[in-house]
Amino acid sequence: MKAASAFEVIAARGWNLLNEGKSFYPIFNLGLLAVLVAADPAWRRGALAGGGTGLALALLASLPLVLAYIRWDFPLHLRWFLWPPLLAFGLFFGWPPAAAVVLSAGLYFFFTVIVWGTIYYHLRTGTTLWNFLRFWKLVLKNADSTSGNAQEQLPKSFLTLAVWHHLLARPGTASAAAAGRMEDLLPVFLFALAVAAYGAVVHRLGFNWRPAEYPDYAPVPPPLPQPSQRVVVIVIDGCRKDKLERAETPFLDWLAARGTRFDRMETVYPARTVVCFSSMFTGTYPREHGITSNLVLRLGVRVESAFDVLARHGRKGVLLGIAHLIDAFGDHVRAITSVQNGDEVDGNIMAAAREILQRDDPDLLVVQLIATDQTGHARGVHYPEYLQRIREADAHIEAFFAWMHRHGYTRDATFLICADHGQGDGIGGHGHLGEGERWVPFFLVGRNVARDRRSERHHSIVSVAATLTHLLGLPLPARARGPVLEEALDPSAPDLAADLDRYFAAEGRAAL
């Protein structure tokens, strides 16, 4: 197994500063301001007036606006509410100069389409260097609050530029700003406060698509007569439920038919990978476990996880995934490098999973397959490449089950196959529960799981932690709110050994 290096762990955290919209907005626009001050004499005179007082006062006057745009996301249909403040400022105070607007848009698309969508994905996953021919469409269509949402990031940038231009580069403002004249600064400061209040009202009235939460902690069901000896979870990261249903997945179809499928399993908000994994394996929500985006400012979940429960009872749980997950679960994670060709990465992850089973013999093994998610981000989900990655995931899972069966790991074991979130239209295409993001594929199969059963009831992935620990005969995590998925349980259900014998015999292949 090629583990993620210490450098990759740090680099992953640094990259999230540019990936997450909340951090990208100030970094990009302050950098843009630095370029304008360095290149344009008018901006430089205003910034350096009074020994730098002009720049300091301009930043102070715009602070409520900057903080509001860091605090409030404007995803999906809310992005249209970014235009009225820009139009109002232009009418009352003046428009940003055309050169600054062109520079902002040019640098933005250079970063997202060329640096990120082409060079970064080529170096990390082997995506074609012609990816920019498709990637610009994904940037324009993306509706989630990442740096790759042009329809959110550009209006924010244009208004911020307009405010700074008015205070620094408009004729006559340099000396006024340096002198701190309130008649010039106060109106802009009040406008910025009004935008902050406007953002709060927009989100109060319009940000209404977050999933309902379980208000109480999960009840403890009666113990299983014979708990499962092992639970294996395979998470196909970023796999859309509707696309999985369209893809050719013969093994997953066969496997799901022998277990219990959940047709209305909902992810959490925001639907970002580290957030979703944290909710799945603690059983609670971001407000409680503390992981609110892929950019983790305080390492470690703040509540007990399923891995902690196992460790407290002398048993072992391992999460095999990419470096981002260390930020939530620390030493429970075996991080494999994500700098691998998309054609190879899932196969290498499965090889690492076999190593872990042989070396560590964990009671709970969680495996994160990442090629589907990477392809969705880099190439979009409405293209054949995305379906091909799902077909490849099916083949990798089949080979892994064949190996597990031959080595005895399928006896008295239960398996969960699911996704952490769906996927939107491309770059950063998940987080705010738009098209394809909210509902995830999810089924349980094996020991203690009812056969050929389907649930149409609404459920949430926060039920994962309690369900897994209950299957293993252990207490639920202390703050788990998602209840055990009892409708899937059948203590009389056998393991999969006999079914797998017949499957591999019928397929004419040995369980290697």
Side-chain angles (χ1 to χ4, degrees), residues 408-424:
Y409 293 111
T410 58
R411 295 192 179 278
D412 294 322
T414 306
F415 303 91
L416 167 60
I417 313 294
C418 66
D420 53 341
H421 54 73
Q423 189 83 286

Side-chain angles (χ1 to χ4, degrees), residues 287-511:
R287 62 177 174 80
E288 202 159 30
H289 60 61
I291 307 298
T292 58
S293 78
N294 281 352
L295 177 60
V296 180
L297 300 178
R298 175 182 167 182
L299 299 181
V301 292
R302 301 177 193 175
V303 298
E304 187 176 50
S305 72
F307 304 106
D308 297 325
V309 173
L310 267 77
R312 182 157 51 87
H313 288 81
R315 301 177 72 178
K316 191 172 187 64
V318 175
L319 197 171
L320 172 63
I322 59 175
H324 295 308
L325 298 175
I326 294 175
D327 294 349
F329 295 109
D331 293 339
H332 297 297
V333 177
R334 302 290 185 272
I336 191 168
T337 179
S338 62
V339 185
Q340 300 186 57
N341 191 289
D343 294 331
E344 302 171 355
V345 63
D346 279 356
N348 291 337
I349 289 172
M350 282 308 196
R354 293 193 288 271
E355 288 181 22
I356 289 171
L357 278 173
Q358 288 184 311
R359 183 182 64 245
D360 299 331
D361 194 28
D363 302 279
L364 170 63
L365 174 62
V366 181
V367 181
Q368 178 197 22
L369 298 180
I370 64 173
T372 299
D373 183 67
Q374 287 182 342
T375 298
H377 284 302
R379 302 290 285 164
V381 299
H382 303 308
Y383 295 91
E385 298 99 318
Y386 187 75
L387 294 178
Q388 175 62 28
R389 286 289 184 253
I390 297 175
R391 288 195 292 270
E392 291 170 2
D394 178 79
H396 288 306
I397 293 170
E398 180 180 9
F400 184 51
F401 267 79
W403 180 89
M404 286 192 295
H405 184 55
R406 181 181 178 185
H407 289 82
Y409 293 111
T410 58
R411 295 192 179 278
D412 294 322
T414 306
F415 303 91
L416 167 60
I417 313 294
C418 66
D420 53 341
H421 54 73
Q423 189 83 286
D425 286 330
I427 173 176
H430 55 85
H432 292 269
L433 305 185
E435 178 192 0
E437 299 171 44
R438 180 182 294 265
W439 306 104
V440 298
F442 192 104
F443 69 86
L444 286 155
V445 62
R447 188 77 183 90
N448 286 309
V449 175
R451 295 188 164 221
D452 194 24
R453 184 176 292 179
R454 278 191 112 122
S455 171
E456 299 288 343
R457 290 179 55 196
H458 176 271
H459 289 283
S460 168
I461 62 171
V462 297
S463 281
V464 167
T467 301
L468 300 184
T469 55
H470 181 66
L471 284 165
L472 290 167
L474 298 173
L476 312 189
R479 304 290 288 276
R481 294 183 181 273
V484 173
L485 297 171
E486 292 187 77
E487 64 198 277
L489 301 185
D490 178 2
S492 66
D495 61 31
L496 279 172
D499 297 87
L500 291 169
D501 279 338
R502 288 189 291 271
Y503 176 83
F504 290 116
E507 292 295 308
R509 61 184 73 180

Side-chain angles (χ1 to χ4, degrees), residues 111-162:
F111 169 73
T112 55
V113 176
I114 303 301
V115 175
W116 183 353
T118 303
I119 298 173
Y120 168 80
Y121 277 122
H122 176 72
L123 294 175
R124 181 181 168 188
T125 68
T127 302
T128 172
L129 281 172
W130 295 99
N131 202 42
F132 63 89
L133 295 175
R134 181 182 297 178
F135 209 70
W136 68 271
K137 302 176 186 178
L138 305 181
V139 173
L140 290 178
K141 292 168 65 178
N142 180 30
D144 282 302
S145 289
T146 67
S147 56
N149 182 348
Q151 295 187 65
E152 177 174 356
Q153 295 301 331
L154 288 181
K156 286 182 174 181
S157 181
F158 295 161
L159 178 56
T160 308
L161 280 177

Side-chain angles (χ1 to χ4, degrees), residues 170-340:
R170 182 173 57 88
T173 56
S175 58
R181 282 170 45 184
M182 294 301 293
E183 60 265 32
D184 290 282
L185 295 173
L186 184 59
V188 175
F189 181 76
L190 293 176
F191 177 86
L193 282 178
V195 173
Y198 168 82
V201 171
V202 166
H203 283 73
R204 178 76 174 179
L205 299 179
F207 205 176
N208 54 9
W209 59 83
R210 299 191 191 198
E213 297 184 358
Y214 293 109
D216 303 314
Y217 294 124
V220 179
L224 293 167
Q226 292 184 329
S228 304
Q229 295 303 300
R230 189 189 316 276
V231 174
V232 176
V233 180
I234 299 176
V235 182
I236 309 174
D237 197 315
C239 182
R240 283 177 59 134
K241 185 175 184 292
D242 59 338
K243 299 297 183 180
L244 178 65
E245 292 168 352
R246 284 184 52 194
E248 295 177 17
T249 54
F251 182 71
L252 289 177
D253 294 343
W254 177 88
L255 199 62
R258 280 148 186 80
T260 298
R261 286 171 277 195
F262 291 83
D263 291 329
R264 288 182 53 80
M265 182 63 68
E266 188 175 31
T267 191
V268 294
Y269 171 86
R272 305 289 281 157
T273 294
V274 184
V275 179
C276 294
F277 271 77
S278 298
S279 287
M280 282 195 290
F281 296 106
T282 64
T284 191
Y285 301 98
R287 62 177 174 80
E288 202 159 30
H289 60 61
I291 307 298
T292 58
S293 78
N294 281 352
L295 177 60
V296 180
L297 300 178
R298 175 182 167 182
L299 299 181
V301 292
R302 301 177 193 175
V303 298
E304 187 176 50
S305 72
F307 304 106
D308 297 325
V309 173
L310 267 77
R312 182 157 51 87
H313 288 81
R315 301 177 72 178
K316 191 172 187 64
V318 175
L319 197 171
L320 172 63
I322 59 175
H324 295 308
L325 298 175
I326 294 175
D327 294 349
F329 295 109
D331 293 339
H332 297 297
V333 177
R334 302 290 185 272
I336 191 168
T337 179
S338 62
V339 185
Q340 300 186 57

